[in-house]
Amino acid sequence: MKRLHDIERLAFRGNVLLLKVDGNEYEFDLSNVSKKLANASSIERENLEISPSGYGIHWHLLDEDLSIDGLLGIKHSPLKMKQKIAI
């Protein structure tokens, strides 16, 4: 399976999601990303799974999903995405 992103680190500092993806570091204010994560306890936030392809993150206890492309503002045309997955 081709990896779309290399998620190297994911952590929280207060109400900020700290993410290191593809060698770049990002900070996201949770109130701008997800109301569920912004209101979640530390236990709920820490119970997560990163998809093997690096496509996204799933929080089991919150039933919340975030795509890395969505967080980073990356948009794909359907044809380019189909070609990228097929490689």
Side-chain angles (χ1 to χ4, degrees):
M1 174 184 303
K2 174 136 174 72
R3 291 185 59 91
L4 297 175
H5 295 285
D6 183 19
I7 302 169
E8 301 169 50
R9 184 173 70 97
L10 187 152
F12 295 94
R13 183 183 66 228
N15 244 13
V16 175
L17 170 63
L18 307 169
L19 192 60
K20 185 171 183 180
V21 178
D22 302 328
N24 298 305
E25 295 190 21
Y26 303 91
E27 293 185 8
F28 301 96
D29 184 330
L30 290 178
S31 62
N32 296 328
V33 173
S34 164
K35 288 182 183 181
K36 286 183 181 181
L37 284 170
N39 295 318
S41 69
S42 59
I43 291 172
E44 291 170 318
R45 288 180 184 175
E46 298 299 327
N47 188 338
L48 61 93
E49 179 181 354
I50 297 172
S51 67
S53 68
Y55 177 79
I57 311 155
H58 176 72
W59 283 267
H60 299 283
L61 298 175
L62 300 170
D63 192 27
E64 180 73 321
D65 296 283
L66 296 177
S67 75
I68 299 303
D69 286 353
L71 283 169
L72 302 181
I74 298 171
K75 297 183 183 197
H76 301 275
S77 71
L79 180 58
K80 285 183 182 179
M81 188 64 177
K82 193 178 216 180
Q83 290 171 344
K84 189 172 186 177
I85 291 173
I87 295 175

